[in-house]
Tab-separated table of all heavy atoms in Angstrom:
chain	number	residue	atom	x	y	z
N	17	PHE	N	2.275	-26.284	6.297
N	17	PHE	CA	1.824	-25.057	6.937
N	17	PHE	C	1.621	-25.272	8.434
N	17	PHE	O	2.057	-24.452	9.254
N	17	PHE	CB	0.524	-24.579	6.281
N	17	PHE	CG	0.056	-23.242	6.763
N	17	PHE	CD1	0.637	-22.079	6.286
N	17	PHE	CD2	-0.971	-23.140	7.696
N	17	PHE	CE1	0.207	-20.835	6.729
N	17	PHE	CE2	-1.404	-21.903	8.142
N	17	PHE	CZ	-0.817	-20.747	7.653
N	18	THR	N	0.983	-26.372	8.811
N	18	THR	CA	0.744	-26.658	10.226
N	18	THR	C	2.050	-26.895	10.966
N	18	THR	O	2.235	-26.417	12.099
N	18	THR	CB	-0.166	-27.893	10.376
N	18	THR	OG1	-1.388	-27.659	9.677
N	18	THR	CG2	-0.469	-28.171	11.834
N	19	PHE	N	2.982	-27.619	10.342
N	19	PHE	CA	4.283	-27.898	10.967
N	19	PHE	C	5.052	-26.599	11.200
N	19	PHE	O	5.626	-26.382	12.280
N	19	PHE	CB	5.078	-28.845	10.071
N	19	PHE	CG	6.385	-29.296	10.653
N	19	PHE	CD1	6.431	-30.198	11.697
N	19	PHE	CD2	7.590	-28.815	10.141
N	19	PHE	CE1	7.650	-30.624	12.237
N	19	PHE	CE2	8.800	-29.236	10.663
N	19	PHE	CZ	8.830	-30.136	11.724
N	20	LEU	N	5.062	-25.719	10.194
N	20	LEU	CA	5.769	-24.444	10.324
N	20	LEU	C	5.165	-23.608	11.445
N	20	LEU	O	5.893	-23.049	12.279
N	20	LEU	CB	5.712	-23.680	8.998
N	20	LEU	CG	6.296	-22.254	9.002
N	20	LEU	CD1	7.778	-22.280	9.346
N	20	LEU	CD2	6.080	-21.576	7.662
N	21	CYS	N	3.849	-23.524	11.488
N	21	CYS	CA	3.186	-22.722	12.517
N	21	CYS	C	3.380	-23.317	13.911
N	21	CYS	O	3.542	-22.586	14.892
N	21	CYS	CB	1.707	-22.571	12.197
N	21	CYS	SG	1.385	-21.540	10.749
N	22	LEU	N	3.366	-24.648	14.004
N	22	LEU	CA	3.590	-25.310	15.282
N	22	LEU	C	4.934	-24.900	15.875
N	22	LEU	O	5.042	-24.605	17.071
N	22	LEU	CB	3.543	-26.833	15.117
N	22	LEU	CG	3.967	-27.658	16.339
N	22	LEU	CD1	2.932	-27.543	17.447
N	22	LEU	CD2	4.195	-29.120	15.958
N	23	LEU	N	5.960	-24.865	15.030
N	23	LEU	CA	7.306	-24.546	15.515
N	23	LEU	C	7.534	-23.046	15.644
N	23	LEU	O	8.044	-22.562	16.657
N	23	LEU	CB	8.351	-25.152	14.577
N	23	LEU	CG	8.321	-26.676	14.408
N	23	LEU	CD1	9.500	-27.135	13.570
N	23	LEU	CD2	8.333	-27.380	15.758
N	24	ALA	N	7.175	-22.285	14.604
N	24	ALA	CA	7.487	-20.854	14.591
N	24	ALA	C	6.724	-20.086	15.664
N	24	ALA	O	7.302	-19.253	16.378
N	24	ALA	CB	7.196	-20.270	13.208
N	25	PHE	N	5.420	-20.348	15.803
N	25	PHE	CA	4.611	-19.600	16.755
N	25	PHE	C	4.607	-20.231	18.138
N	25	PHE	O	3.949	-19.732	19.046
N	25	PHE	CB	3.184	-19.463	16.230
N	25	PHE	CG	3.078	-18.556	15.040
N	25	PHE	CD1	2.942	-19.081	13.764
N	25	PHE	CD2	3.162	-17.187	15.194
N	25	PHE	CE1	2.863	-18.244	12.662
N	25	PHE	CE2	3.078	-16.341	14.102
N	25	PHE	CZ	2.923	-16.866	12.826
N	26	ASN	N	5.356	-21.302	18.297
N	26	ASN	CA	5.492	-21.942	19.602
N	26	ASN	C	6.960	-22.004	19.984
N	26	ASN	O	7.379	-22.812	20.798
N	26	ASN	CB	4.907	-23.367	19.539
N	26	ASN	CG	4.752	-23.997	20.903
N	26	ASN	OD1	4.357	-23.337	21.853
N	26	ASN	ND2	5.081	-25.274	21.010
N	27	SER	N	7.760	-21.116	19.366
N	27	SER	CA	9.216	-21.258	19.445
N	27	SER	C	9.768	-21.060	20.852
N	27	SER	O	10.779	-21.648	21.205
N	27	SER	CB	9.894	-20.283	18.479
N	27	SER	OG	9.504	-18.951	18.761
N	28	ASP	N	9.133	-20.226	21.679
N	28	ASP	CA	9.621	-20.027	23.044
N	28	ASP	C	9.552	-21.311	23.856
N	28	ASP	O	10.415	-21.589	24.680
N	28	ASP	CB	8.803	-18.947	23.743
N	28	ASP	CG	9.395	-17.568	23.533
N	28	ASP	OD1	10.461	-17.486	22.916
N	28	ASP	OD2	8.776	-16.588	23.977
N	29	ALA	N	8.515	-22.105	23.611
N	29	ALA	CA	8.296	-23.307	24.416
N	29	ALA	C	9.132	-24.496	23.964
N	29	ALA	O	9.287	-25.459	24.708
N	29	ALA	CB	6.816	-23.681	24.382
N	30	LEU	N	9.669	-24.442	22.751
N	30	LEU	CA	10.397	-25.593	22.218
N	30	LEU	C	11.652	-25.922	23.018
N	30	LEU	O	12.168	-27.035	22.946
N	30	LEU	CB	10.771	-25.346	20.755
N	30	LEU	CG	9.603	-25.321	19.763
N	30	LEU	CD1	10.104	-24.963	18.372
N	30	LEU	CD2	8.912	-26.663	19.728
N	31	ALA	N	12.140	-24.953	23.764
N	31	ALA	CA	13.354	-25.193	24.541
N	31	ALA	C	13.119	-26.169	25.685
N	31	ALA	O	14.064	-26.786	26.170
N	31	ALA	CB	13.899	-23.868	25.089
N	32	PHE	N	11.872	-26.308	26.111
N	32	PHE	CA	11.611	-27.204	27.246
N	32	PHE	C	10.476	-28.193	27.001
N	32	PHE	O	10.315	-29.139	27.754
N	32	PHE	CB	11.309	-26.378	28.510
N	32	PHE	CG	10.178	-25.410	28.374
N	32	PHE	CD1	8.869	-25.815	28.551
N	32	PHE	CD2	10.426	-24.079	28.063
N	32	PHE	CE1	7.819	-24.919	28.425
N	32	PHE	CE2	9.386	-23.166	27.932
N	32	PHE	CZ	8.079	-23.589	28.115
N	33	GLU	N	9.670	-27.990	25.942
N	33	GLU	CA	8.553	-28.900	25.698
N	33	GLU	C	9.019	-30.232	25.135
N	33	GLU	O	9.963	-30.291	24.346
N	33	GLU	CB	7.547	-28.254	24.741
N	33	GLU	CG	6.644	-27.233	25.417
N	33	GLU	CD	5.508	-26.808	24.514
N	33	GLU	OE1	5.630	-26.963	23.291
N	33	GLU	OE2	4.490	-26.312	25.037
N	34	SER	N	8.336	-31.276	25.514
N	34	SER	CA	8.629	-32.616	25.021
N	34	SER	C	7.862	-32.872	23.730
N	34	SER	O	6.979	-32.098	23.336
N	34	SER	CB	8.246	-33.651	26.069
N	34	SER	OG	6.830	-33.646	26.250
N	35	LEU	N	8.162	-34.000	23.093
N	35	LEU	CA	7.410	-34.402	21.898
N	35	LEU	C	5.942	-34.614	22.248
N	35	LEU	O	5.044	-34.268	21.464
N	35	LEU	CB	8.007	-35.684	21.314
N	35	LEU	CG	9.332	-35.542	20.573
N	35	LEU	CD1	9.933	-36.921	20.306
N	35	LEU	CD2	9.139	-34.788	19.260
N	36	ASN	N	5.698	-35.159	23.426
N	36	ASN	CA	4.310	-35.380	23.844
N	36	ASN	C	3.570	-34.046	23.989
N	36	ASN	O	2.398	-33.928	23.608
N	36	ASN	CB	4.271	-36.137	25.166
N	36	ASN	CG	2.868	-36.564	25.542
N	36	ASN	OD1	2.255	-37.404	24.893
N	36	ASN	ND2	2.336	-35.947	26.602
N	37	ASP	N	4.267	-33.030	24.524
N	37	ASP	CA	3.665	-31.701	24.647
N	37	ASP	C	3.269	-31.155	23.280
N	37	ASP	O	2.210	-30.535	23.116
N	37	ASP	CB	4.628	-30.731	25.323
N	37	ASP	CG	4.912	-31.092	26.765
N	37	ASP	OD1	4.024	-31.677	27.409
N	37	ASP	OD2	6.032	-30.800	27.233
N	38	LEU	N	4.134	-31.377	22.285
N	38	LEU	CA	3.856	-30.877	20.938
N	38	LEU	C	2.671	-31.601	20.315
N	38	LEU	O	1.868	-30.995	19.598
N	38	LEU	CB	5.100	-31.025	20.054
N	38	LEU	CG	6.302	-30.148	20.430
N	38	LEU	CD1	7.486	-30.461	19.522
N	38	LEU	CD2	5.950	-28.676	20.345
N	39	THR	N	2.546	-32.910	20.574
N	39	THR	CA	1.396	-33.650	20.032
N	39	THR	C	0.092	-33.154	20.666
N	39	THR	O	-0.947	-33.091	20.004
N	39	THR	CB	1.544	-35.166	20.264
N	39	THR	OG1	1.601	-35.443	21.665
N	39	THR	CG2	2.800	-35.701	19.584
N	40	VAL	N	0.160	-32.804	21.953
N	40	VAL	CA	-1.024	-32.257	22.622
N	40	VAL	C	-1.407	-30.916	21.982
N	40	VAL	O	-2.586	-30.645	21.732
N	40	VAL	CB	-0.762	-32.086	24.131
N	40	VAL	CG1	-1.907	-31.294	24.790
N	40	VAL	CG2	-0.610	-33.439	24.803
N	41	LYS	N	-0.407	-30.091	21.708
N	41	LYS	CA	-0.673	-28.791	21.099
N	41	LYS	C	-1.266	-28.959	19.701
N	41	LYS	O	-2.166	-28.210	19.300
N	41	LYS	CB	0.608	-27.967	21.042
N	41	LYS	CG	0.371	-26.501	20.714
N	41	LYS	CD	1.590	-25.673	21.008
N	41	LYS	CE	1.272	-24.191	20.895
N	41	LYS	NZ	0.307	-23.729	21.912
N	42	LEU	N	-0.776	-29.944	18.953
N	42	LEU	CA	-1.330	-30.221	17.633
N	42	LEU	C	-2.801	-30.609	17.718
N	42	LEU	O	-3.632	-30.181	16.898
N	42	LEU	CB	-0.540	-31.339	16.946
N	42	LEU	CG	0.746	-30.947	16.215
N	42	LEU	CD1	1.492	-32.194	15.767
N	42	LEU	CD2	0.444	-30.046	15.029
N	43	GLU	N	-3.135	-31.395	18.730
N	43	GLU	CA	-4.523	-31.842	18.862
N	43	GLU	C	-5.434	-30.704	19.317
N	43	GLU	O	-6.557	-30.544	18.818
N	43	GLU	CB	-4.604	-33.012	19.842
N	43	GLU	CG	-5.976	-33.655	19.900
N	43	GLU	CD	-5.960	-35.026	20.545
N	43	GLU	OE1	-4.864	-35.585	20.758
N	43	GLU	OE2	-7.061	-35.546	20.841
């Protein structure tokens, strides 16, 4: 559920965000 929401509701940013950015968002 968390993985799906991380990607689906953050989909605009995935085009330029790094893996580190995603880990920050998870935290």
Side-chain angles (χ1 to χ4, degrees):
F17 186 79
T18 303
F19 185 72
L20 174 62
C21 291
L22 171 70
L23 300 186
F25 290 103
N26 192 40
S27 57
D28 270 356
L30 291 176
F32 56 84
E33 282 190 339
S34 66
L35 286 168
N36 188 67
D37 294 330
L38 293 177
T39 61
V40 170
K41 193 166 189 65
L42 277 172
E43 188 163 348

